[in-house]
Amino acid sequence: MADPRSSAHNGALPRESDMESPAGASQMFTRPFTLYEALPYTPFTSIVPIHSGLLPAPSIGSASPAPSLSDIVPSHDFDGLNEQARTGEGFSKHLQQTVNQVQQIIKHNKVTEFKFKTGPRSVAPSSSRSKPISLASGLSPVSKMVYEQNLVSFRYPTPDTPGTKSPPGDLHKQNTPVQTKASPVAVKAELQKQSSATPKNKQAHARNAAKFEIVLPTKSQLEQAANLVSAVSSVPVSAVPAPVRENSRDGPRAQLPQPSQPPTVLPRSSSAGGAIPVTPNQPPPKVQPGSGSPKTVIAVELPRSSFNKSEFLVVPDEPDEPTTLSERKRKRDGLDEDDHYGESLDLRQRAHSALNELRVFLHHVFEAENHVLATRTANDFVGLTVDNATTLSSLAQTKVQALLSKAISLNCYQDVPIEELLRLCRLCEGAVKQAESLDFKIEETWGSADVETWLQQLPDLEMAIRAARTLLRTMCGGRADKQLYSEDMIEKCLDLFKRIADGIIVPVAALRNTGSTAELFKSLCSCRKKLVALLNDFQKLFSLMVLLISKVDTSSTVSNTLEFAASRLIFMESANAEKDSVIDTQKFDGLRLVAMDMLSQIFLLNESQRQGIFDEILTSLEKLPIRRRARTFKLMDGSSIQPVSALIMRLIQTSAGKVDDATGAGQSRAMQSIDGGDGEVPSLGSATFSIRTEEHAATQHQVAIKELAAVVEPLISTANANAMYVIQFIGNKALRSSKSSEDPYRNLFDLFVEDFTICLDNPDWPAAGLLLWRLTVQMIALLTNEKSAVTAKNMALEVLGNVGGALAKLRGQVRKTASALDARDANELGLFLTDLAASALEQKSRPEQMVTWVGPFRVTLEYLESRYSEDPHLASAISFLVSTWGNTICESYDAYEDSVAERDEELGRLAYRLRNMIRDRRWLSSEFSFKDVSASQAKLSYGITLLRSKLYDLFGHILNRLLHSMASDQPTVRSKGLKSINQVLEADPSILDDSQVIELVLQCAEDSSTQVRDSALGLIGNCITLRPSLEAKLFPRIVEMFVDQGPGVRKRAMKLAKDMYLNNTNRSLRAHVANGLLHRVQDPEESVRDLARQMVEEIWFLPFQGGESSAASKISLSDHVALMVHTIKRGNASNILDKVLQTLLAPQTKTSQASLEVCKKLVESMFELVNNTDSGDASTPSGRDVLQVLMIFAKADARLFTFEQLRLLKPQIETLSACDDMAAARAAVTIYRRVLPQLSSAHQDFLRDIHGILLPVLGRAIPRTLLDEIVGCLSIICAVLNDKSKIARVTTSSLAGIQKTRMLFQKTKTLGERETRQICAYSSIVGMIGKHFSLEDERDAFKDRCPPNYAGTVSKLIIDTLLPWTAEAMPLECRKSALDAIGLVCQNAPKNYVSANVYTTFQRIFDSQTPALESLILHSFKEFLLVEEHRSEEGSEATGVNGVKKEKKRELTVMGGTNYDEVASATTHRFLKEITRIAMSTEDEHAFLAVEVLASINRQGLVHPKETGVTFITLETSSNPHISELAFQQHKRMHEKHETVVEREYVKALQSAFAYQRDIVKNSRGATTNPFSPKLHLMMEVLKISKSKNRQKFLDKLCAQVDFDLSKLDASSGDIPSHVEYSRFIIENIAFFEYVTVGEVHNIVAAMEKLVSSTGATVAQAIESEVFAVRMDALDSAPDPSAQLQAESMQVDVKRLRQLTAGSMILSALWEARTYLRKLYGMGTNRREGKIKGLTKDLGKPPVKAQGVTGDKFWEDISAIMTSLTSREGMMERCRAFVELMTVDKELLVQDDDDDMNGDEPLTPDNEDEDDMDEPSSGRGRKRKAMGNTPGGRKKRARSSSQPRKRGRPKKQVTEDMDADGEFDDWA
């Protein structure tokens, strides 16, 4: 067509067909096309209108030929390269680098591709065609190397295949198979393997009766054909294409159609067996014979027999992969990939404008500089430094930096002349150099004047910072000009940065307003704005340095300095509150973020420094805050984490990516410029792979997977190793610390775990999943290791609970997001993700679905890519996800055992694409486009990937471990397991559907450990909240735990039950809860009682406070009344409710008035139900039950009732005469008795009616309690009516009956049953009347009944009448009635207590020790003392109108009455001994009555505290909770008022308590089991009121009680002698006491050790000399060590042997308690360890118990010791063990080869004064380390005498230390 080119071609050689002859050429084209003729066949058809000015008309014939290669490249260089290739130096570095550079230039994705439509061409005659010549022929050696190493194909579009483009590498594959690199043998083996892989399928096919064959194309063929059909359908087919013949390298040779035929577009022929797609209404294309395209045939052959449908299953459809989400991008014509100028005209204009603006500004600056140099006067642009050097002003710096940034971003920075940039740099150097002379470091000793001087330097410093920023900005533009990269200026900028950080930033951050720095703090606060501006400039300089090291390959010195500075800024100390900081703390947080970017960039670029960076971060963790300021790094979703957590995750993500090729090339060029060299730039992407195209990867999928694995496996391995290193470091530190220790690592560990779980579902932080996976694996290993400590297991359980909760939460979020996405974003992607999420949740999704090209990985990546421009930090997350994707592809491919062609080909394509994505981060965005991805779709996609990750695969293991921990043998592990599984259940309640989980929880609720039960109860509450259907099953267990032994457990159960009560309408459930709470009002624990009263108020009274009177409220009130009645009836809680109401309505209660109104409403509602009859309906209470509740309200407060309501009760009173319903009548009488005092004389008629009804009832046989109420009512009515005459007549009549019966008894000496009943009735009537009435005004009515000249009172007359019936000769029933009546009369007339005939009668009763009669006297005393006590309290609380106390006249109830204090005191002193005897003789109600009397005596102070102190301390140990609680209250009361007096009685009280336990309780052990609790724990609770010094004094006395004198020790009788039993009681109490301070523990342990050392020496010497015959000469004679002493050789007296054994038992038990306390409180087993650890500052702290130490072993050891006296052998063994304990120090024994040392054995007690313990008889000290004749006969090795023997040996210290260090390392 044009002039021939020279031999040095730029492109491919002309084809042979184009060079055959001019004739052939003339037949092809007669003339060149004009512009308008060629335009329809060009890509410019969319330009309308077309104008020749935009596109000049080409003149093909007259155009000058293309310039030859020699015009572009110097010929000598090209010739030299060719010469090297010819001489065989083809592998020289220079030549290979040149070829690689050319390969990069001509890559198919970087070469502009023009697509022209084919024009009319003539077909050359077949005779003129000859065999084509290879394109490689005639090339120069260098060109041939380039040609052979590239697969870029250039071809002419022909009419045969005009519409298709073979991708690179497809030249080999059309109708011929692609040749792979596998050998024929390997191919054959693979075919055999594939053929043998499916024998079962072949057998099944052979057995199948049906023969159904369909030849179908593959999925890829169908998709390709479908695309081509759409293309064919748009172009009419009018001709049949000629057959196409292709060659391997030269490209296709085609015959051209006739010029008259328009160009056609037809698909390329498919592979054999493929179907040819045909569009509708169009005949199929005809295929010429010999074309090689077979005919598509479908053959169906059906048998006659039918198939069985039951043999087939319905398989659910799997989600189809969307096909329209991702498309390949169309290459931009005529532009390189990195050339942004061609994107749009607007971009070109902006770039041109930015370049022009920058150059114009620089021109102005340079003119200003010339002016300054000429005039030496500064202007707005340029100033002068101190050295008269020109420098840019601050404003000019800011402007030029903005212009430079704009030019760099628009890619026009390369067009700025280098001279202008160098001159700009010189203008900036002056300010940076000037800063070297500034001294701006802040000193702590500065004052305000120094700060002012320092502020004057700030302008110069700010100018220097901005100049440094300008210098760095010029270096970050990616230019290759070496003049810009001045190493000297980089170092100067770095030095300026370092000086500012060390001299200003760090000191200001650490400055506080305290001490000597307060003045400096205030001075700097006054100039805070300037400091903030300086900090902002510094931060921008720091950011530019981050950009610098990413663009320029700096020296190691620069990177090391920046790494150190970044680490220091990350961990610099800052204030917790804004008021304590000079600058806002958030400013420092921003600086930390930049420092994190710096470390991340250094970590990415310098692999050699990665380990050092991790070490620096991890060793600095202890500097981090663990409080409010811990989490300052904000995430996209608004949550916060620690900055260091984000840094660690970012570094791990970074380690999973590669350095970008462009970045590496830019750094290399910059480094060459700095070094001044012109060497070669190594190509980072020059590694060669055999797979070059996607189609090649599809056919050679195994090779493609291997090449991907070679790239991705090192990255994933590195990330795994880094994650493992971080977890092991933090975990090891956490195991060696606790949450309460000064070492922060345990708390930091929890913060890290929480941070990682927060980021788990965040696609921005995929490394969180890897870290949690490594952490979970280690925790499971730690938990399954039997040697792991309890603390380690607890930590592991806590972590597993957090991780399990996070995974369960993830599952719930995926389910929720998928549901919301299905409803909101119902597009193709949303539907696909929803289906895939459903499969992933069921763990049924296939691996290839997870790694598909448009699957969840791709969606997540596209979302991150869309945000990359806004947040460049996402680069690490993108790299990590891509590597994870690639690794998942490799794992999926390797996991398949079968071979599916379509699947394997797709995985091969994915492997090729992922390999490119890993090596070039921008490859995906440049090659493919994707539909927009929303945040919810991205989060769902990432969640799907997590559901199929290794971390989620451990979810089942986590859950199993947590469940198994609930059945652990260690209580703390069980408790922690319950708390941990609670986190998982809250996140995923579906786990509760498994009944085994509930059963395990219920088992833990019955655990012996209080901690476990409390945790189980909390879990039960959460289970009910999460699954309300479990309420019926779990509720009974909650109510049962109302009576748990632990107060905390009881409180938690009550709170749970209260919540259930308020949230439930079930009457039965509410009644159970209310009944349980009412009974807790009488709980022994005060806090539980208060809580119970509060809860009863909240559920029964608080909801009805308010003035509502609607019908609904009335119905609700009626239902509530029915519930209350039902509860009181079934729960027997009437007395408890009475106390609750009294407390609720007490005047001092804040809500008393509101509660009073509520109670009035309740009473009013109950009166509506009074007349109800009994029915089977539980919702309708009977009138009898309602009256019982009304009686309780009447006892609480009479103000609740009205007169009209009393009138309604009159019918109930009238039933007394008929005895129809005594319960209802008694309730009505009780209400009258409480309420009638409110009535006045205005109601006389009503009162007379009631009096008339009640008085006749006295003559009937009624119960005593009802009689008491009736007489009480009559006394009130008579007082109002002022008429006692009828009562007086009843009394005289009764006395007459008593006297008559007495006369009858004197005659007959016997009484019949009728007379006995009469005496009992008469006695009860006169007793009750004497109690409630004072009949002195009616004395005349008794004249006939009085003896002559009787001067006594009426009450004395009654008592004298009754006293004869108390004689022993009288029947017991008569004695009881008379004695009861006397007591009742004495309550109203107390002076009768001191009457001689009365108290002698009482004394006679006490001497007879008849409990039935004693109880009557005690009841009388109790009632009398309570009345006096109440009267005394009323007198003390009586106040005047103005609040001033006033005197209150006491009401005189008898003539000559007094306040009865003398009576109470005299009676108490007279009978105190008897009352005490009764209280301590039993534990029944009789004893409790005596204790109540003693308590009242103690409260009134009627006796000296020492008289009752021992009694109360003794009774504290009672097994009756009522007795022990009342005694504890009185003991506490006495201790608070009379501590000194009570303390003197403690030793006597200990002995009394032991005797009480031995004789009354019948259990002399010092503690109770399940759980272990000392019997003296209430005494210890009282002692907690005292000072620690007093407690320690008590403990010393307690320990001294165990001491004994061996010669006086009585062991003559019994299995356990008395002192041994008493010692055991004391020792077990000491062991199980709850000590208040560390000092107390050390004090008691020291006292025990001292006692064993002193007393034990005497006992051991006696045993050795008397039992084992050990003499002093035995030490000198050196006997045979193997000879054992035989105890039988000495005839020891049994009595003496028992005495020695008893002493050994006491001291051995004491030593066991000492060892147990040391283990329990972590004091070690060596006494000196305890002394070292017990520092003075820690002695006042509360002791901390070691986890896992229980009292079971100690309890068993004590029990075993106490059996030593049962046999002679047992006594000998006990003596031998004690001597060995005293004489052999097991810590110093040399272990024999066959002996195992037990580290838990106790040490020998030390004798601190052993030098003073020598005895004249033996001539030696009692403490000896080893003897030749030990009782055990153990052989011990000789010791060296070169050094003195130490007292102890650290037991396996080295081994334990090694285990401690390596404990966490063994996780893996």
Side-chain angles (χ1 to χ4, degrees), residues 619-653:
T619 54
S620 303
L621 291 179
E622 59 185 6
K623 303 176 184 177
L624 291 175
I626 56 176
R627 296 181 182 88
R628 184 176 61 87
R629 288 283 302 162
R631 291 187 169 96
T632 58
F633 188 89
K634 298 292 183 181
L635 302 178
M636 287 293 295
D637 57 1
S639 55
S640 300
I641 61 174
Q642 295 181 103
V644 70
S645 300
L647 176 60
I648 289 174
M649 289 188 289
R650 186 177 295 169
L651 295 184
I652 292 175
Q653 290 170 179

Side-chain angles (χ1 to χ4, degrees), residues 1225-1273:
R1226 178 180 175 272
V1229 172
T1230 305
I1231 296 172
Y1232 274 7
R1233 182 184 176 186
R1234 298 300 188 278
V1235 182
L1236 287 180
Q1238 296 185 115
L1239 301 183
S1240 63
S1241 58
H1243 305 93
Q1244 290 184 2
D1245 296 338
F1246 174 74
L1247 293 175
R1248 287 191 181 94
D1249 293 341
I1250 300 300
H1251 186 275
I1253 296 173
L1254 294 179
L1255 189 60
V1257 180
L1258 295 179
R1260 299 181 62 84
I1262 56 178
R1264 180 180 184 276
T1265 56
L1266 180 57
L1267 179 63
D1268 188 15
E1269 298 294 340
I1270 292 174
V1271 175
C1273 283

Side-chain angles (χ1 to χ4, degrees), residues 1069-1090:
L1069 182 146
R1070 286 191 162 196
H1072 276 89
V1073 173
N1075 182 48
L1077 292 178
L1078 284 172
H1079 282 85
R1080 285 305 92 207
V1081 174
Q1082 294 181 329
D1083 194 90
E1085 185 72 22
E1086 183 178 0
S1087 60
V1088 179
R1089 292 196 300 267
D1090 295 340

Side-chain angles (χ1 to χ4, degrees), residues 323-398:
T323 58
T324 61
L325 296 178
S326 177
E327 296 180 355
R328 278 192 179 274
K329 287 187 177 180
R330 180 181 178 184
K331 298 296 182 181
R332 293 185 294 270
D333 296 338
L335 295 173
D336 193 5
E337 184 182 21
D338 295 330
D339 186 8
H340 298 288
Y341 280 89
E343 290 185 358
S344 66
L345 180 62
D346 177 63
L347 188 60
R348 293 198 301 269
Q349 292 175 347
R350 286 170 53 200
H352 180 74
S353 175
L355 177 62
N356 183 56
E357 188 177 359
L358 173 61
R359 296 197 61 186
V360 169
F361 181 77
L362 292 178
H363 177 70
H364 293 324
V365 169
F366 297 151
E367 286 185 349
E369 179 191 16
N370 295 335
H371 183 268
V372 170
L373 291 174
T375 62
R376 289 295 170 181
T377 304
N379 52 45
D380 294 339
F381 287 161
V382 181
L384 292 173
T385 63
V386 178
D387 300 332
N388 287 328
T390 56
T391 183
L392 278 180
S393 65
S394 297
L395 293 176
Q397 297 279 8
T398 304

Side-chain angles (χ1 to χ4, degrees), residues 563 567 571 609-621 651 725-726 729:
E563 178 190 343
S567 299
F571 296 101
Q609 294 180 246
R610 292 184 175 181
Q611 187 63 40
I613 292 175
F614 268 123
D615 292 339
E616 179 68 24
I617 294 172
L618 295 176
T619 54
S620 303
L621 291 179
L651 295 184
Y725 181 73
V726 171
F729 184 92

Side-chain angles (χ1 to χ4, degrees), residues 934-1129:
S934 64
S936 58
Q937 290 173 340
K939 195 165 187 177
L940 177 59
S941 300
Y942 184 64
I944 293 172
T945 62
L946 290 176
L947 289 178
R948 302 297 289 174
S949 64
K950 294 180 179 178
L951 174 62
Y952 190 80
D953 291 342
L954 295 175
F955 182 66
H957 297 282
I958 294 173
L959 191 59
N960 289 333
R961 283 297 155 198
L962 294 179
L963 293 175
H964 289 164
S965 66
M966 293 163 57
S968 173
D969 56 348
Q970 297 167 327
T972 53
V973 175
R974 296 196 295 271
S975 176
K976 184 63 70 174
L978 287 167
K979 294 178 181 178
S980 298
I981 200 171
N982 192 21
Q983 297 174 299
V984 183
L985 294 179
E986 288 178 352
D988 188 5
S990 62
I991 299 173
L992 293 172
D993 297 337
D994 187 357
S995 60
Q996 295 182 353
V997 177
I998 302 299
E999 294 299 328
L1000 283 173
V1001 175
L1002 290 176
Q1003 290 177 12
C1004 291
E1006 300 176 357
D1007 195 86
S1008 60
S1009 171
T1010 304
Q1011 183 182 11
V1012 176
R1013 295 196 304 274
D1014 186 68
S1015 301
L1017 190 57
L1019 184 56
I1020 287 174
N1022 285 342
C1023 291
I1024 295 176
T1025 303
L1026 298 171
R1027 282 288 189 270
S1029 58
L1030 296 173
E1031 185 179 87
K1033 184 176 183 179
L1034 299 178
F1035 168 73
R1037 184 57 194 159
I1038 296 177
V1039 177
E1040 290 175 6
M1041 298 184 79
F1042 279 12
V1043 293
D1044 190 89
Q1045 295 180 350
V1049 179
R1050 297 199 294 271
K1051 291 180 183 179
R1052 184 186 288 271
M1054 291 160 58
K1055 292 176 182 177
L1056 287 177
K1058 186 200 79 171
D1059 294 338
M1060 296 174 65
Y1061 180 98
L1062 296 176
N1063 298 326
N1064 206 309
T1065 57
N1066 187 306
R1067 177 170 295 179
S1068 176
L1069 182 146
R1070 286 191 162 196
H1072 276 89
V1073 173
N1075 182 48
L1077 292 178
L1078 284 172
H1079 282 85
R1080 285 305 92 207
V1081 174
Q1082 294 181 329
D1083 194 90
E1085 185 72 22
E1086 183 178 0
S1087 60
V1088 179
R1089 292 196 300 267
D1090 295 340
L1091 181 63
R1093 280 194 293 266
Q1094 178 185 348
M1095 289 185 174
V1096 171
E1097 178 184 358
E1098 291 176 355
I1099 66 174
W1100 270 10
F1101 301 99
L1102 191 61
F1104 300 98
Q1105 290 183 4
E1108 294 185 7
S1109 58
S1110 62
S1113 63
K1114 290 182 179 180
I1115 293 175
S1116 176
L1117 193 64
S1118 299
D1119 293 340
H1120 182 59
V1121 166
L1123 174 64
M1124 292 180 66
V1125 173
H1126 179 66
T1127 303
I1128 298 301
K1129 177 183 176 181

Side-chain angles (χ1 to χ4, degrees), residues 121 515 551 1205 1207 1374 1470:
R121 303 180 64 181
K551 299 291 184 180
Q1205 292 170 348
R1207 291 175 63 90
C1374 297
R1470 183 174 287 116

